Amino acid sequence: MFSEFKYKMNRKRLRDERYAFLFDEPPADEYVCFDCETTGINPKKAEILSIGAVIIKNNHILTSQKLELFVRPSKDINEDSIKVHHLRHCDLEHGIDPSHAVLQFLRFIGSRPLVGYYLEFDVAMINKYLRPLLGIVLPNAQTDVSGIYYEKKANTIPQGYIDLRFDVIMEELDLPSLGQHDAFNDALMTAMMYVKLQTIKKL
């Protein structure tokens, strides 16, 4: 989370006041869970291929309020990447420009806190496009479900190994898998993790 100084400096760097709403007071008990599919795992080199997001309100997942965007890549997608997200270049020929996708994402999230699984990577990917566009990075508060899970699990295994793989957490929380991993499905499953973790005291 931003320190107060960094938060204020970030606000000063905003180049377009139409997006000042990002710095507003967030609505009470509302969050956005999101996920990105990308061409790789290095934010400096990877490109966003899709963004999925869903709103959580009062610890309920609002599947009617979702975002699913497909982004047109600047170059061919390598085979190793396709094996992970199953998105081929031909699937994204009619995708939108990444800058437009990021701006749509901003309008969807507003000032709500963000939730994700290994969220640091997804935030870094958004910021990669956001800095050149608006001069800022995401100011939203951020919560990683793997961190919440770890803290609850550590109470019962203080010195033990805690497996933080996505599918392992889903199974441990007795949550149904939605099948193929894609940005929206992963965002929805992560939202399920978050809601479940809010309702249990320990694992």
Side-chain angles (χ1 to χ4, degrees):
M1 186 181 292
F2 282 91
S3 67
E4 185 177 351
F5 174 75
K6 287 184 177 180
Y7 187 88
K8 289 180 178 178
M9 290 302 296
N10 197 38
R11 175 65 181 88
K12 287 182 179 180
R13 294 189 185 104
L14 180 65
R15 295 176 189 154
D16 189 336
E17 286 300 313
R18 290 177 297 175
Y19 294 90
F21 61 80
L22 293 167
F23 296 87
D24 289 345
E25 188 72 21
D29 205 16
E30 287 191 22
Y31 305 84
V32 173
C33 190
F34 88 100
D35 180 78
C36 298
E37 294 295 338
T38 65
T39 58
I41 59 174
N42 183 343
K44 293 182 179 179
K45 298 180 179 179
E47 295 183 44
I48 290 178
L49 298 177
S50 63
I51 303 172
V54 65
I55 290 176
I56 303 170
K57 183 173 183 178
N58 297 322
N59 224 34
H60 288 83
I61 302 168
L62 306 183
T63 53
S64 61
Q65 296 187 41
K66 69 175 188 177
L67 180 73
E68 190 169 16
L69 301 172
F70 294 94
V71 180
R72 185 175 60 254
S74 65
K75 54 189 176 184
D76 288 339
I77 308 167
N78 67 54
E79 291 184 11
D80 289 339
S81 178
I82 293 172
K83 290 177 183 177
V84 176
H85 50 63
H86 304 286
L87 291 171
R88 302 163 298 171
H89 195 82
C90 61
D91 298 322
L92 300 168
E93 285 180 343
H94 301 292
I96 61 177
D97 180 84
S99 297
H100 293 159
V102 168
L103 294 178
Q104 283 191 45
F105 174 72
L106 296 182
R107 288 190 286 270
F108 181 81
I109 66 173
S111 60
R112 297 179 183 90
L114 302 174
V115 174
Y117 172 78
Y118 283 101
L119 185 61
E120 183 178 355
F121 172 79
D122 297 296
V123 168
M125 288 302 303
I126 296 293
N127 286 340
K128 173 181 177 176
Y129 297 92
L130 184 54
R131 280 192 191 94
L133 281 170
L134 299 180
I136 63 170
V137 294
L138 285 170
N140 310 62
Q142 298 160 23
T143 300
D144 196 306
V145 295
S146 65
I148 302 174
Y149 176 82
Y150 182 89
E151 289 177 5
K152 290 182 181 292
K153 196 75 172 174
N155 290 329
T156 57
I157 316 177
Q159 303 299 327
Y161 169 72
I162 299 175
D163 194 333
L164 296 177
R165 286 176 294 173
F166 190 92
D167 293 338
V168 170
I169 297 177
M170 287 290 290
E171 184 176 353
E172 179 73 18
L173 295 176
D174 195 26
L175 294 169
S177 172
L178 301 181
Q180 178 177 315
H181 286 288
D182 60 46
F184 178 71
N185 269 358
D186 282 358
L188 182 55
M189 287 189 286
T190 303
M192 291 160 56
M193 289 182 192
Y194 178 80
V195 169
K196 184 71 175 281
L197 287 165
Q198 299 309 302
T199 62
I200 56 180
K201 292 183 178 180
K202 62 181 180 178
L203 294 167

